[in-house]
């Protein structure tokens, strides 16, 4: 997957003579994008109209929203544009290039599996090895379909039960390419469940009554691209004009294109040419629909430390609002108890409007068409942090972030098994 340039070949030669391991990593990480002209600004007291202008303007990459403040990655040129709009912004990171370079330094040191991030091919091998080691409780499907560029999208099913109609919990990861912690934490949870089945009573009891489905890569092409070219790429890799990529989390068939997404291919929230226009959306949606009965589903993201429930496209309450809120709040409490990190539990629209998201689709009539009498509880989970590192979360936070998710995931599954959402 990774193309080796002349410079990288020279580096490899040098490393061969030096015998230094750090060099090997630096030679294979091949970022092409330079962020030299970019900064992250924090804008305060942003009005609804101003937010609308920012979110639809190409070149504006919104990283974080809290109350009326937003953090945006922009070029210096666009800092002027913000100023002209009358928006008050201060510089949060004066060099995105330095931020990425600092992150890359951490990547160069070889560590244990969960102490570093890994490339697509290595993660696939890791899942295959796990599946071969835990044959009793894992069923590994190498591909639920191909991505736009032809990469496989595997599925991992984990259960201790052999009953035919066991309830399921569905997790999908790495829908946004640059949110590396989402894939890493999904891997952490998979590994935790496998290592603890038969050793930990709570895990054993749970896996004997439920089946977990993990889709480790919703956006494998985008993820590969963040390693090879642009660490901050978000969308899939559909080639387009004048810009590439569709935001897969605006492409699901639930109130598609009804606000909080863009018809401009250059926007970070470009929703594509129609609902489920993208192979990655189709593959995950078809797989979800073919697996019944799914009681709950989480679409894993970063960053902001949030537990978001339906809806994103309307401020109306979902019919099961009380139950959805209780589950979100309960997860937040359990996360907090591990390392004291606070995750806000709220409705998606409380953050900002979105449509065509995976979370709202999981809870929709379309997704639950084969789900018997039940409706899947859909959530977006935004992992660490709240902006210090953002998408460039250092690898030494993978384990603590994974640790704080485990009790939340156990609670999520147990609560839905006890009291599933009925249609
Ligand atoms: O915008 C998104 O797709 C998600 N945030 S991210 O920074 N990971 O890209 C959040 C979607 C949550 N839904 C709503 N805000 N309604
Ligand atoms: Zn995301």
């Amino acid at each position: 997957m990774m193309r080796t340039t002349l410079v990288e070949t020279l580096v490899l030669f040098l490393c061969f003579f030096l015998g230094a391991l750090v060099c090997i990593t630096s030679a294979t990480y091949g970022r092409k994008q330079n962020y030299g002209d970019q900064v992250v600004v924090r804008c305060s007291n942003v009005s609804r109209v101003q937010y609308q202008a920012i979110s639809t303007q190409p070149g504006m990459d919104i990283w974080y929203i809290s109350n009326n403040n937003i953090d945006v990655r922009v070029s210096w040129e666009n800092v002027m544009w913000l100023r002209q709009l009358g928006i008050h912004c201060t510089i949060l990171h004066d060099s995105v290039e330095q931020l990425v370079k600092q992150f890359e330094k951490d990547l160069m040191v070889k560590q244990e599996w969960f102490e570093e991030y890994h490339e697509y091919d290595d993660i696939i091998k890791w899942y295959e090895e796990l599946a071969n080691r835990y044959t009793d409780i894992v069923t590994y499907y190498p591909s639920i379909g191909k991505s736009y560029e032809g990469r496989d999208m595997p599925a991992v099913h984990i259960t201790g039960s052999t009953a035919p109609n066991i309830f399921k919990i569905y997790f999908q990861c790495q829908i946004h390419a640059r949110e590396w912690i989402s894939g890493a934490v999904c891997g952490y949870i998979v590994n935790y469940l496998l290592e603890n089945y038969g050793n930990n009573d709570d895990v054993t009891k749970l896996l004997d009554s439920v089946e977990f489905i993990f889709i480790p890569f919703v956006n494998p092409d985008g993820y590969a691209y963040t390693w090879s070219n642009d660490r901050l790429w978000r969308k899939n890799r559909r080639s387009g004009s004048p810009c590439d990529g569709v935001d897969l989390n605006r492409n699901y068939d639930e109130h598609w294109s009804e606000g909080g997404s863009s018809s401009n291919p250059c926007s970070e929230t470009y929703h594509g040419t129609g609902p489920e226009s993208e192979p990655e959306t189709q593959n995950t949606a078809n797989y979800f629909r073919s697996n019944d009965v799914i009681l709950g589903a989480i679409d894993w993201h970063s960053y902001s430390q949030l537990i978001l429930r339906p809806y994103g496209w309307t401020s109306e309450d979902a019919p099961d609002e009380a139950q959805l809120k209780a589950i979100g709040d309960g997860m937040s409490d359990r996360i907090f108890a591990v390392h004291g990190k606070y995750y806000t539990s709220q409705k998606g629209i409380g953050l900002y409007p979105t449509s065509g998201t995976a979370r709202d689709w999981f809870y929709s009539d379309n997704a639950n068409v084969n789900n018997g009498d039940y409706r899947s509880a859909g959530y977006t989970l935004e992992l660490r942090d709240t902006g210090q590192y953002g998408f460039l979360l250092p690898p030494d936070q993978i384990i603590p972030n994974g640790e704080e998710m485990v009790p939340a995931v156990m609670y999520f599954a147990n609560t839905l098994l006890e009291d599933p959402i009925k249609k």
Side-chain angles (χ1 to χ4, degrees), residues 176 179 301-302:
H176 284 148
E179 296 165 13
H301 290 250
S302 75

Side-chain angles (χ1 to χ4, degrees), residues 23-204:
C23 291
I24 292 170
T25 317
S26 66
T28 55
Y29 181 83
R31 172 166 68 97
K32 312 276 188 302
Q33 184 76 30
N34 186 287
Y35 309 97
D37 66 332
Q38 295 178 17
V39 294
V40 179
V41 291
R42 174 157 293 175
C43 307
S44 51
N45 297 319
V46 178
S47 70
R48 219 159 235 286
V49 176
Q50 288 170 331
Y51 171 76
Q52 206 49 37
I54 296 172
S55 64
T56 50
Q57 172 79 359
M60 293 284 151
D61 182 14
I62 297 176
W63 279 23
Y64 183 60
I65 301 188
S66 159
N67 302 322
N68 294 332
N69 300 338
I70 61 173
D71 297 350
V72 199
R73 174 174 69 117
V74 281
S75 63
W76 279 109
E77 199 183 317
N78 277 326
V79 173
M80 298 305 155
W81 182 85
L82 288 164
R83 193 166 289 174
Q84 276 154 18
L85 273 189
I87 302 170
H88 179 76
C89 307
T90 53
I91 304 287
L92 189 64
H93 297 292
D94 63 3
S95 169
V96 174
E97 183 64 21
Q98 280 312 315
L99 207 62
V100 175
K101 278 206 175 118
Q102 185 56 45
F103 177 83
E104 286 167 352
K105 262 193 199 160
D106 294 336
L107 272 187
M108 291 179 186
V109 187
K110 261 241 160 302
Q111 303 278 5
E112 296 298 311
W113 182 260
F114 289 118
E115 290 169 353
E116 61 179 332
Y117 295 105
H118 305 274
E119 293 187 57
Y120 170 81
D121 288 341
D122 293 335
I123 295 173
I124 296 287
K125 275 190 216 123
W126 182 79
Y127 275 108
E128 285 170 355
E129 279 165 21
L130 270 192
N132 288 333
R133 198 173 332 139
Y134 294 96
T135 44
D136 289 356
I137 54 171
V138 178
T139 311
Y140 182 74
Y141 298 92
S143 191
I144 64 164
K146 300 267 190 198
S147 65
Y148 178 77
E149 290 179 344
R151 286 185 182 80
D152 285 320
M153 297 170 57
V156 185
H157 290 233
I158 305 173
T159 183
S161 166
T162 49
N165 295 321
I166 186 142
F167 285 129
K168 294 169 179 168
I169 296 290
Y170 172 98
F171 290 163
Q172 65 174 41
C173 324
Q174 210 70 67
I175 187 171
H176 284 148
R178 63 192 174 188
E179 296 165 13
W180 288 9
I181 189 64
S182 83
V185 162
C186 283
Y188 184 94
I189 298 166
V190 166
N191 189 61
Y192 180 89
L193 293 173
L194 299 183
E195 280 189 345
N196 283 284
Y197 182 75
N199 298 316
N200 170 310
D201 287 350
D202 294 339
V203 173
T204 309

Side-chain angles (χ1 to χ4, degrees), residues 169 171 295-298 306-310 320-335 343-346 363 375-381 407-422:
I169 296 290
F171 290 163
L295 295 184
I298 299 180
L306 301 168
I307 302 159
L308 302 172
R309 58 183 185 274
D320 305 290
E321 163 63 10
Q323 204 174 339
L324 291 166
K325 180 181 184 316
I327 294 170
D329 293 355
M331 289 177 81
S332 173
D333 291 346
R334 278 143 189 91
I335 294 168
Y343 283 58
T344 306
S345 160
Q346 64 180 46
Y363 182 70
R375 181 178 296 281
S376 169
Y379 290 84
T380 311
L381 213 146
V409 162
M410 303 280 293
Y411 164 83
F412 182 71
N414 280 317
T415 308
L416 284 165
L417 276 174
E418 267 167 37
D419 189 12
I421 295 183
K422 293 256 177 58

Side-chain angles (χ1 to χ4, degrees), residues 255 258 309-318 347-350 353-355 360:
H255 294 270
E258 289 185 21
R309 58 183 185 274
Y311 298 111
W313 57 273
T314 172
S315 48
E316 298 276 300
D317 278 355
K347 291 201 279 185
I349 197 158
T354 54
S355 57
D360 287 350

